[in-house]
């Protein structure tokens, strides 16, 4: 399996603890005496400090950091602001989902983290160093599978390893393992044109995971799948991802997907993108994608996000 | 239910094929397909035979003029004698050799220049009018210059062939490279591929379908260039024979050469089709 990074995982666990404590604080705040509330609050603060100390101790810097990032789309006679002064930090191992109305600039932010776009103003850091080019520590995935049609499924999966000069035998082992993990057993020799949409997107996922990137940057990766296939692929993805310590930034327009998959959800405003809401998802890990969407925590988080998003969607479509 | 093993699965699919209705449907489809092929082939051969017989009859009956049109039996005799005496081998070899050399050199240069131009928008914009003008120029008009520069040997017709092949291949290679979906390039960048790796692993294979469209035209153009060059002036080649036979009113010979040229063109096209289906198996 993919490597585990112990440090950031602890940080992530701590953060989840903080989140769950905070949640219980709000849940029980009114009927309980102020004393209890305070002590819980203090515990939460201490844990948060601990977690921050841990992540800064082991990693030095947050895995991803955006500082005052603003971006313009420049055309012949005008420059339109698409991203407006976005700053945030993300610890290693976290799964961050970004939701927002269509065309709001989510993809641009993702592409800036990937190094495909450089911000007009501000800075982006990945693992403590400023992002200049794409680099070799990211895995990037789109809604369109964009598999190379002249390569077999297996050769597509091996692409990232091939450019890293990994020997053929070891490439094959990795591809084989991922084919099995993503229910693609025996399909390695087929060309993309011979595969269904769901299979192709699984191959694209396998290609992204094959070289064990430290960051997964995903732009609505499952949006093109039909509803049932999407559920299956989401579940497989979470099963493969959990325990890897890989940091994920996941852009989606599907609120349910955001809540079910992510540790943390950010809501972006209509263009130009600003952060409207930044909340932790109070669901535990390991998580079952199938059952996570039935429950009080899910409903509450979903409602909270939608409350912020609804006006923006109206604004964006107006 | 117990999990089924692979051999049991294959046994089951075998049983499915034995199912009487499905077997019947499968064999009916096979029958319909072979009937279709039979009709097409029989019709194709019939058309040829009917035309040849009609031609032969029109001349034999004295309705057509044998002097201008010859007749199938005389053309057959010419070809038979040419094969027996080997009188046309040398000319065929010269024409075929020049066609292949012109095609290969023109294609390699065309692919190279097309891909390089496509990689640099600046270079592309600078060279665009020149490539356009040279490509619209009727290249056959260059033949007198090539004859002056390269003489009556094989070089001048190779030059003419290259001047035709190069542009059609270059233009297709350029279009193919520019048409490679930008998603492929983006994904390759995020996979950590260097500029060179992106070129070799994405741009080149992505241009292959378009390059092949150019090569298919190129092989025809190469033969065209060589034969035209030979007809204008050369020491040897089927084009030389063609003008000589026409000039001396040996019409059966003229048609005989046309048959040989048609055979060469068909074989070259077939070779291209085989190469293409090998390289583009993924389609």
């Amino acid at each position: 399996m993919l490597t585990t990074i112990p440090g950031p995982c602890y940080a992530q666990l701590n953060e989840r603890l903080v989140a769950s404590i905070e949640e219980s604080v709000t849940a029980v705040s009114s009927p309980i005496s102020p004393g209890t509330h305070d002590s819980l609050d203090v515990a939460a603060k201490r844990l948060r400090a601990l977690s921050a100390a841990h992540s800064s101790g082991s990693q030095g810097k947050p895995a991803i950091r955006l500082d005052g990032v603003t971006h313009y789309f420049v055309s012949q006679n005008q420059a339109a602001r698409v991203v407006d002064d976005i700053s945030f930090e993300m610890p290693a191992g976290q799964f961050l989902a970004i939701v927002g109305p269509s065309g709001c600039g989510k993809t641009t932010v993702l592409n800036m983290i990937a190094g495909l776009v450089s911000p007009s103003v501000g800075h982006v850091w990945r693992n403590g160093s400023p992002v200049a080019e794409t680099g070799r520590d990211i895995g990037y995935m789109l809604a369109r599978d964009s598999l190379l049609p002249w390569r077999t499924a297996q050769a597509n999966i091996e692409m990232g390893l091939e450019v890293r000069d990994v020997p053929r035998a070891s490439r094959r082992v990795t591809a084989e393992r991922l084919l099995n993990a993503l229910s693609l057993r025996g399909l390695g020799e087929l060309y993309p044109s011979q595969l269904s949409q769901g299979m192709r997107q699984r191959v694209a996922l396998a290609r992204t995971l094959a070289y064990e990137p430290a960051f997964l940057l995903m732009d609505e990766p499952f949006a093109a799948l039909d509803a049932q296939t999407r559920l299956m692929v989401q579940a497989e993805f979470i099963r493969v991802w959990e325990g890897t310590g890989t940091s994920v930034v996941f852009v989606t327009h599907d609120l349910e997907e955001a809540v079910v998959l992510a540790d943390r959800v950010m809501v972006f405003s209509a263009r130009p993108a600003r952060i409207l809401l930044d909340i932790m998802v109070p669901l535990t890990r390991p998580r079952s994608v199938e059952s996570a969407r039935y429950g009080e925590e899910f409903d509450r988080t979903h409602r909270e996000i939608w409350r912020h998003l609804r006006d923006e969607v109206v604004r964006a479509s107006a | 239910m117990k999990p089924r093993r692979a051999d049991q699965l294959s046994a089951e699919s075998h049983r499915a094929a034995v199912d009487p209705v499905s077997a019947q449907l499968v064999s009916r489809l096979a029958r319909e397909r072979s009937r279709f092929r039979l009709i097409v082939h029989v019709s194709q051969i019939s058309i040829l035979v009917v035309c040849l017989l009609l031609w032969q009859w029109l001349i034999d009956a004295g309705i057509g003029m044998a002097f201008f049109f010859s007749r199938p039996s005389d053309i057959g005799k010419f070809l038979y004698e040419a094969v027996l005496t080997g009188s046309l081998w040398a000319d065929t070899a010269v024409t075929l050799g020049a066609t292949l050399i012109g095609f290969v050199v023109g294609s390699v240069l065309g692919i190279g220049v097309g891909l390089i131009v496509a990689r640099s928008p600046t270079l592309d914009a600078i060279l665009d009018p020149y490539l356009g003008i040279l490509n619209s120029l009727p290249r056959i008009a260059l033949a007198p210059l090539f004859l002056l520069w390269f003489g009556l040997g094989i070089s001048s017709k190779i030059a003419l062939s290259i001047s035709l092949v190069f542009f059609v291949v270059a233009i297709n290679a350029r279009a193919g490279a520019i048409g490679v979906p930008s998603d492929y390039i983006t994904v390759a960048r995020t996979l950590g591929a260097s500029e060179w790796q992106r070129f070799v692993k994405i741009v080149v294979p992505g241009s292959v379908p378009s390059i092949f469209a150019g090569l298919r035209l190129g092989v025809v153009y190469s033969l065209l260039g060589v034969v035209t060059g030979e007809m204008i002036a050369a020491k040897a080649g089927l084009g030389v024979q063609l003008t000589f036979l026409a000039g001396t009113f040996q019409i059966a010979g003229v048609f005989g050469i046309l048959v040989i040229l048609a055979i060469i063109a068909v074989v070259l096209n077939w070779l291209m089709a085989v190469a293409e289906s090998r390289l583009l198996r993924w389609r």
Side-chain angles (χ1 to χ4, degrees):
Chain A
M1 272 288 108
L2 304 164
T3 46
T4 330
I5 308 166
C9 274
Y10 286 131
Q12 195 186 335
L13 265 176
N14 286 341
E15 207 155 289
R16 256 182 232 133
L17 248 170
V18 172
S20 63
I21 289 173
E22 275 180 342
E23 185 200 327
S24 49
V25 167
T26 35
V28 298
S29 58
S30 41
I32 284 189
S33 64
T36 329
H37 182 269
D38 279 348
S39 65
L40 270 172
D41 209 359
V42 166
K45 265 184 192 147
R46 191 174 300 159
L47 250 174
R48 190 189 291 279
L50 204 118
S51 135
H54 192 100
S55 63
S56 65
S58 65
Q59 206 64 18
K61 302 264 160 52
I64 292 173
R65 184 174 156 218
L66 271 72
D67 189 10
V69 166
T70 296
H71 193 72
Y72 292 83
F73 279 171
V74 185
S75 65
Q76 215 132 40
N77 45 20
Q78 60 178 4
R81 200 184 320 160
V82 285
V83 175
D84 188 16
D85 192 24
I86 284 191
S87 303
F88 69 85
E89 288 185 2
M90 186 183 128
Q94 191 171 64
F95 192 133
L96 165 69
I98 299 176
V99 296
S102 319
C104 77
K106 315 182 284 277
T107 298
T108 309
V109 169
L110 189 79
N111 286 345
M112 290 193 287
I113 297 170
L116 291 166
V117 172
S118 38
S120 311
V121 182
H123 302 279
V124 181
W125 283 270
R126 224 167 46 213
N127 257 346
S129 41
V131 173
E133 239 288 298
T134 43
R136 287 202 158 180
D137 55 349
I138 62 159
Y140 184 85
M141 205 176 149
L142 296 163
R144 302 175 293 273
D145 58 70
S146 50
L147 295 175
L148 302 176
W150 56 85
R151 283 173 169 252
T152 60
Q154 168 142 0
N156 266 292
I157 295 172
E158 290 178 10
M159 179 81 184
L161 299 168
E162 209 178 293
V163 304
R164 286 166 178 74
D165 295 323
V166 173
R168 182 186 295 268
S170 131
R171 292 204 305 256
R172 174 153 308 162
V173 170
T174 307
E176 209 54 54
R177 178 169 56 72
L178 284 163
L179 284 167
N180 291 341
L182 293 168
S183 335
L184 294 165
R185 187 188 298 271
L187 302 179
E189 291 309 310
L190 296 183
Y191 288 97
S193 61
Q194 298 169 293
L195 299 172
S196 73
Q197 186 87 51
M199 292 171 186
R200 281 207 296 274
Q201 206 58 2
R202 284 189 179 95
V203 173
L205 183 58
R207 169 177 68 183
T208 313
L209 296 171
Y211 51 97
E212 303 180 11
F215 298 93
L216 282 176
L217 308 174
M218 310 173 97
D219 191 0
E220 307 199 8
F222 310 133
L225 303 179
D226 67 79
Q228 287 131 37
T229 311
R230 183 156 57 221
L231 276 179
M232 299 303 297
V233 179
Q234 283 171 347
E236 279 163 6
F237 168 52
I238 286 302
R239 225 173 12 249
V240 174
W241 170 77
E242 266 178 359
T244 60
T246 309
S247 313
V248 184
V249 182
F250 190 102
V251 167
T252 178
H253 60 255
D254 181 346
L255 289 193
E256 200 169 307
E257 182 176 64
V259 177
V260 163
L261 299 182
D263 300 315
R264 175 185 180 186
V265 178
M266 262 183 208
V267 179
F268 278 16
S269 69
R271 187 188 275 207
R274 255 175 302 227
I275 300 174
L276 285 184
L277 179 70
D278 181 359
I279 57 165
M280 300 298 294
V281 176
L283 298 171
T284 50
R285 297 234 189 247
R287 197 183 281 180
S288 152
V289 170
E290 283 93 347
S291 58
R293 62 191 84 216
Y294 308 109
E296 213 253 314
E297 287 101 339
F298 172 83
D299 286 341
R300 192 149 30 82
T301 318
H302 191 279
R303 237 196 317 273
E304 168 81 353
I305 295 169
W306 179 237
R307 196 165 59 80
H308 283 81
L309 191 57
R310 190 175 43 202
D311 298 344
E312 291 307 313
V313 173
V314 170
R315 217 154 67 83
S317 58
Chain B
M1 201 163 79
K2 276 193 301 182
R4 286 169 301 181
R5 293 213 325 271
D7 49 354
Q8 287 170 313
L9 280 173
S10 78
E12 249 181 39
S13 60
H14 184 67
R15 209 174 310 135
V18 177
D19 155 24
V21 178
S22 99
Q24 212 177 335
L25 289 173
V26 166
S27 71
R28 188 195 296 171
L29 184 66
R31 268 202 312 278
E32 276 167 9
R33 285 216 178 121
S34 64
R35 196 161 145 260
F36 171 79
R37 275 197 299 268
L38 190 72
I39 290 172
V40 169
H41 287 146
V42 167
S43 308
Q44 286 170 336
I45 292 167
S46 308
I47 290 174
L48 181 69
V49 169
V50 166
C51 283
L52 289 177
L53 285 177
L54 190 66
W55 184 357
Q56 184 77 31
W57 175 77
L58 282 171
I59 305 297
D60 286 348
I63 300 166
M65 284 176 288
F67 180 77
F68 287 120
F69 298 106
S70 184
R71 57 186 148 191
S73 58
D74 290 342
I75 298 166
K77 208 167 82 191
F78 171 86
L79 285 173
Y80 179 70
E81 277 166 8
V83 170
L84 269 193
T85 60
S87 60
L88 287 175
W89 286 136
D91 291 305
T92 307
V94 166
T95 301
L96 197 55
T99 301
L100 290 177
I101 294 172
F103 173 64
V104 170
V105 174
S107 300
V108 169
L109 290 175
I111 292 170
V113 169
L115 292 179
I116 289 169
V117 163
R119 305 229 344 107
S120 157
T122 318
L123 194 64
D124 190 27
I126 293 170
L127 293 182
D128 184 53
Y130 294 105
L131 286 175
I133 289 167
L134 287 172
N135 187 43
S136 16
L137 186 76
R139 255 63 50 74
I140 304 303
L142 297 175
L145 277 180
F146 288 151
L147 282 169
L148 277 176
W149 295 340
F150 303 115
L152 290 175
I154 198 169
S155 319
S156 59
K157 45 192 162 178
I158 289 176
L160 195 57
S161 154
I162 291 173
S163 76
L164 282 162
V165 175
F166 171 79
F167 289 99
V168 67
V169 174
I171 283 166
N172 275 278
R174 172 190 168 275
I178 287 176
V180 171
S182 62
D183 275 359
Y184 297 171
I185 307 285
T186 305
V187 165
R189 273 178 75 184
T190 62
L191 286 170
S194 67
E195 180 111 21
W196 175 246
Q197 285 171 328
R198 270 178 260 155
F199 182 68
V200 173
K201 291 180 194 291
I202 310 286
V203 176
V204 173
S207 319
V208 166
S210 181
I211 288 175
F212 256 100
L215 293 180
R216 265 200 313 267
L217 285 173
V219 80
V220 175
Y221 280 25
S222 183
L223 186 59
L224 171 73
V226 167
V227 172
T228 313
E230 288 170 350
M231 287 172 71
I232 292 169
K235 280 187 263 183
L238 290 173
V240 174
Q241 288 297 333
L242 193 73
T243 35
F244 169 74
L245 290 166
T248 53
F249 302 104
Q250 303 181 56
I251 306 305
V254 172
F255 278 110
I257 301 283
L258 288 177
V259 170
I260 295 172
L261 287 173
I263 291 169
I264 290 176
V266 166
V267 169
L268 290 177
N269 268 326
W270 175 77
L271 287 174
M272 290 303 298
V274 169
E276 185 170 0
S277 70
R278 280 279 169 81
L279 269 169
L280 297 178
R281 212 171 358 184
W282 50 271
R283 282 195 140 180

